[in-house]
């Protein structure tokens, strides 16, 4: 949690001066994380209140544990079709699209494995091979049937939107703020950053990216009007009885936490849902596949940190990133 909070503002130029007119702030817990929002403009206070309730509504729809949620209903449907809200149908449809595009690196049915490794209860442990095989047979996004608002999931399979729910919620809130006339805002959903426009002083937002190895920060990224999302196995992990580190992002092929040649993947794109889905799946893919994937698309940029600490950035964002301590950065070209 603490780590997530550090991600945000490196420099807030107005901090020492008077508070800027029309600045509003909100902070609360939702979606298993701390969410903070800053918006500038008339009525910004009431707009943020509205945004907070909207976020909580989405949480109530997508929670795996809340008995009234859409996801809970699907996960306990024992194979019967369930009618879900428009928002849930939309995020599921997007998750299925991304699962197909990433060749299953992102799999919204990963929950049985996340749970077998203890990430749902904080009672972490290494499951037996038999258990992993058993759980792997319950994972496979191709088996989800989605027909408009009707979802059908085979018995014992479970949905988990943890890899992209925050990004999707971020987009919903950003749209709400824009609809209410907000021209400058920053929303931090536990380290997923989404921005509207520029800072009120007309400068880009300066985001301090987290160093996956625990150093102060990796560097500063200057952005406007976009989302920035980082995934890695450095924050939510445990050390097994065998002394190895096991993180919360699971490889749907092996059933094991990803042993990547990457320490973190940061994705920068227009929308939070794409950033969130991709940061998780590119981490699963590892460096070479992630770079190939980027070369095939035009809709995102990324910053990779390898497990040996090398930083590389794609060419479209290279000018906007300054590494801490003038560290060397490789540029990835098309
Ligand atoms: P964060 O939890 O920091 O937002 P991510 O967006 O990378 O990080 O999401 C990780 C979460 O997604 C895990 O905690 C788990 O619930 C779920 N998950 C783990 N592995 C996968 C996967 N391969 N595909 C889809 N979801 C996953
Ligand atoms: Mg993600």
């Amino acid at each position: 949690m603490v780590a997530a909070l550090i991600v945000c503002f490196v420099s807030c130029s107005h901090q020492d001066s008077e508070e800027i007119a029309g600045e509003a702030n909100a902070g609360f817990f939702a979606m298993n994380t701390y969410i903070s929002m800053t918006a500038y403009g008339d009525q910004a206070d009431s707009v943020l209140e509205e945004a907070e309730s909207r976020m909580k509504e989405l949480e109530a729809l997508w929670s795996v544990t809340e008995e009234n949620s859409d996801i809970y209903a699907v996960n306990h449907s024992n194979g019967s079709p369930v009618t879900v809200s428009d928002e849930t149908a939309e995020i599921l449809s997007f998750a299925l699209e991304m699962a197909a595009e990433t060749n299953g690196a992102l799999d919204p049915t990963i929950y049985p494995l996340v749970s077998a490794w203890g990430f749902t209860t904080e009672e972490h442990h290494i499951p037996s091979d038999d258990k992993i095989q058993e759980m792997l047979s319950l994972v496979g996004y191709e088996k989800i049937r989605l027909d408009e608002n009707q979802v059908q999931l085979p018995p014992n399979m479970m949905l988990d939107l943890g890899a992209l729910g925050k990004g999707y919620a971020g987009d919903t809130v950003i749209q709400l703020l824009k609809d209410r006339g907000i021209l400058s805002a920053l929303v931090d959903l536990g380290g997923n950053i989404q921005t509207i426009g520029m800072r009120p002083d007309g400068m880009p937002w300066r985001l301090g990216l987290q160093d996956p190895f625990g150093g102060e920060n990796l560097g500063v990224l200057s952005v406007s009007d976009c989302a920035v999302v980082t995934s890695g196995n450095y924050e939510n992990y445990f050390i097994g009885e065998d002394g190895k580190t096991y993180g919360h992002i699971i490889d749907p092929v092996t059933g094991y936490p990803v042993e990547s040649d990457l320490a973190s993947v940061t994705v920068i794109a227009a929308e939070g849902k794409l950033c969130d889905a991709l940061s998780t799946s590119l981490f699963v893919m590892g460096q070479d596949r992630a770079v190939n994937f980027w070369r095939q698309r035009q809709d995102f940029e990324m910053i990779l940190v390898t497990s040996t600490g090398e930083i590389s950035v794609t060419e479209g964002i290279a000018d906007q990133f300054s590494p801490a301590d003038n560290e060397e950065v490789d540029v990835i070209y098309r």
Side-chain angles (χ1 to χ4, degrees), residues 31 53-64 66-72 88:
M31 302 196 168
S53 349
R54 189 78 188 101
M55 197 87 78
K56 289 181 172 163
E57 280 168 22
L58 294 177
E59 174 184 35
L61 289 177
W62 299 338
S63 162
V64 213
E66 281 289 326
E67 298 193 7
N68 292 323
S69 84
D70 277 352
I71 296 302
Y72 190 94
T88 305

Side-chain angles (χ1 to χ4, degrees), residues 8 14 19 56 60 87 94 100 102 133-134 168 181 186 188 197 200 217 241 250-251 277 284-285 287 298 327 332:
C8 196
H14 64 272
E19 192 169 293
K56 289 181 172 163
E87 293 91 332
F94 179 71
T102 61
Q133 292 313 315
E134 186 192 332
Y168 211 101
L186 185 144
D188 179 349
N217 72 54
E241 303 91 79
I250 311 258
D251 185 337
V284 174
M285 291 182 202
Q287 187 171 28
Q298 306 290 332
E327 190 136 354
I332 305 168

Side-chain angles (χ1 to χ4, degrees), residues 231-233 249 258 260 262-265 279-286:
S231 282
N233 266 343
I249 299 176
V258 173
S260 179
L262 295 173
S264 69
V265 178
S279 66
T280 308
S281 43
L282 296 172
F283 184 76
V284 174
M285 291 182 202

